[in-house]
Amino acid sequence: QVQLVESGGGLVQAGGSLRLSCAASGRTFSSMAWFRQAPGKEREFVAAITWSGGSTYVEDSVKGRFTISRDNAKNTMALQMNSLKPEDTAVYYCAGRLINAGSYHYWGQGTQVTVSS
C-alpha cells in the first residue's frame, strides 16, 4: 500500500520559517511535489522535484523563499519555507508520481500552515 504522510506544519508569524516533511512508503516515486489549498480556493502547485534531485520546479510566488529537496535513501521529501507571508496560509499536501505516469496519483493527508500578520 502506497502512503504519503506530511508533517511539520504549524503556526508562525510573518517572516518566519517552517520545514515540511513528507515520508513515503510502499513505492519509489519518479517525482514528488508539494501542493497547497487555501480556504475557499482551488488546490495549487507549489514545487516539484525529480528522483535525481537534479531538476526542481518552484511556483513563481514562492521562488526564492521555498526550497524543495528529497532524500532517496530515506524516501522522504522536504519543503523549506522561509520569509513566510500570510498568503502562504494553506493546507499543504505531499504528492507522488510513478515513473511514466502523467499526473500525481498519490497524496498525503495534508498539514496545516498558518502564517499570522
Side-chain angles (χ1 to χ4, degrees), residues 1-109:
Q1 182 176 338
V2 178
Q3 292 193 64
L4 297 169
V5 181
E6 303 96 334
S7 62
L11 175 64
V12 65
Q13 288 187 303
S17 299
L18 284 174
R19 185 176 179 86
L20 305 184
S21 182
C22 174
S25 62
R27 297 285 176 83
T28 298
F29 298 101
S30 63
S31 64
M32 299 181 72
W34 290 97
F35 291 77
R36 67 185 182 185
Q37 186 169 23
K41 296 184 177 181
E42 297 294 325
R43 187 177 300 178
E44 66 176 352
F45 171 81
V46 178
I49 187 167
T50 59
W51 168 259
S52 68
S55 297
T56 60
Y57 309 88
V58 183
E59 197 269 329
D60 287 341
S61 68
V62 303
K63 191 174 296 182
R65 299 188 296 118
F66 291 12
T67 302
I68 189 170
S69 62
R70 68 188 295 174
D71 185 337
N72 292 338
K74 298 180 178 180
N75 206 12
T76 58
M77 177 181 65
L79 183 69
Q80 179 65 46
M81 305 185 294
N82 298 325
S83 301
L84 284 162
K85 303 175 181 180
E87 51 263 44
D88 294 319
T89 295
V91 176
Y92 284 70
Y93 296 90
C94 173
R97 187 178 73 180
L98 300 180
I99 190 168
N100 296 325
S103 62
Y104 293 94
H105 293 152
Y106 301 93
W107 299 84
Q109 82 288 348

